[in-house]
Amino acid sequence: MTKISNTGKYQYLLKMTKTNHYLATMIPSQNKNVGGNVDISVRYYVGGQDFYVGSMSIYP
Protein backbone atom coordinates (compact mmCIF):
# COMPACT_ATOMS: atom_id res chain seq x y z
CA MET A 1 0.00 0.00 0.00
CA THR A 2 1.09 3.54 -0.69
CA LYS A 3 0.59 6.27 1.88
CA ILE A 4 -1.17 9.22 0.26
CA SER A 5 -2.07 11.36 3.31
CA ASN A 6 -1.18 11.73 6.99
CA THR A 7 -4.70 12.63 8.10
CA GLY A 8 -8.24 11.96 7.05
CA LYS A 9 -10.30 8.92 6.22
CA TYR A 10 -8.28 7.81 3.18
CA GLN A 11 -4.59 7.64 4.06
CA TYR A 12 -3.46 4.62 2.02
CA LEU A 13 -3.97 3.48 -1.55
CA LEU A 14 -3.86 -0.16 -2.70
CA LYS A 15 -3.62 -0.55 -6.45
CA MET A 16 -5.29 -3.61 -8.03
CA THR A 17 -4.92 -4.24 -11.75
CA LYS A 18 -6.59 -6.94 -13.84
CA THR A 19 -4.07 -7.94 -16.50
CA ASN A 20 -6.38 -9.94 -18.84
CA HIS A 21 -3.79 -12.74 -18.76
CA TYR A 22 -5.24 -16.19 -18.18
CA LEU A 23 -3.74 -19.43 -16.92
CA ALA A 24 -5.16 -22.83 -17.88
CA THR A 25 -4.33 -25.80 -15.67
CA MET A 26 -5.23 -29.31 -16.81
CA ILE A 27 -6.49 -31.54 -13.99
CA PRO A 28 -6.35 -35.24 -14.95
CA SER A 29 -9.20 -37.52 -13.91
CA GLN A 30 -8.65 -40.48 -11.57
CA ASN A 31 -10.93 -42.51 -13.88
CA LYS A 32 -9.02 -43.41 -17.05
CA ASN A 33 -12.27 -43.71 -19.04
CA VAL A 34 -13.20 -40.07 -18.44
CA GLY A 35 -11.13 -37.03 -19.38
CA GLY A 36 -10.12 -34.50 -16.76
CA ASN A 37 -11.10 -30.88 -16.46
CA VAL A 38 -9.38 -27.55 -17.11
CA ASP A 39 -9.27 -24.78 -14.48
CA ILE A 40 -9.03 -21.20 -15.79
CA SER A 41 -7.50 -18.48 -13.59
CA VAL A 42 -7.19 -14.71 -14.16
CA ARG A 43 -3.98 -12.86 -13.27
CA TYR A 44 -4.14 -9.70 -11.13
CA TYR A 45 -1.45 -7.36 -9.80
CA VAL A 46 -2.18 -6.40 -6.19
CA GLY A 47 0.33 -4.09 -4.56
CA GLY A 48 2.92 -5.00 -7.22
CA GLN A 49 2.62 -8.79 -6.77
CA ASP A 50 1.01 -11.41 -9.02
CA PHE A 51 -2.11 -13.19 -7.87
CA TYR A 52 -4.16 -15.74 -9.78
CA VAL A 53 -7.87 -15.91 -9.04
CA GLY A 54 -9.89 -18.93 -10.11
CA SER A 55 -12.41 -18.02 -12.76
CA MET A 56 -14.01 -21.22 -14.07
CA SER A 57 -13.66 -24.97 -14.55
CA ILE A 58 -14.33 -26.63 -17.88
CA TYR A 59 -15.41 -30.27 -17.95
CA PRO A 60 -15.58 -32.52 -21.02
Side-chain angles (χ1 to χ4, degrees):
M1 293 179 56
T2 304
K3 190 168 188 173
I4 58 173
S5 175
N6 289 327
T7 59
K9 188 174 180 181
Y10 303 104
Q11 295 182 16
Y12 291 91
L13 175 69
L14 177 64
K15 185 174 180 179
M16 299 175 67
T17 306
K18 182 178 178 183
T19 63
N20 289 326
H21 292 140
Y22 297 90
L23 175 70
T25 305
M26 297 182 68
I27 311 294
S29 173
Q30 297 295 326
N31 183 352
K32 296 192 188 280
N33 296 328
V34 178
N37 63 307
V38 178
D39 287 343
I40 307 295
S41 300
V42 181
R43 181 175 154 190
Y44 287 86
Y45 284 127
V46 179
Q49 293 185 340
D50 285 332
F51 285 92
Y52 288 90
V53 178
S55 175
M56 70 177 81
S57 292
I58 301 171
Y59 296 92

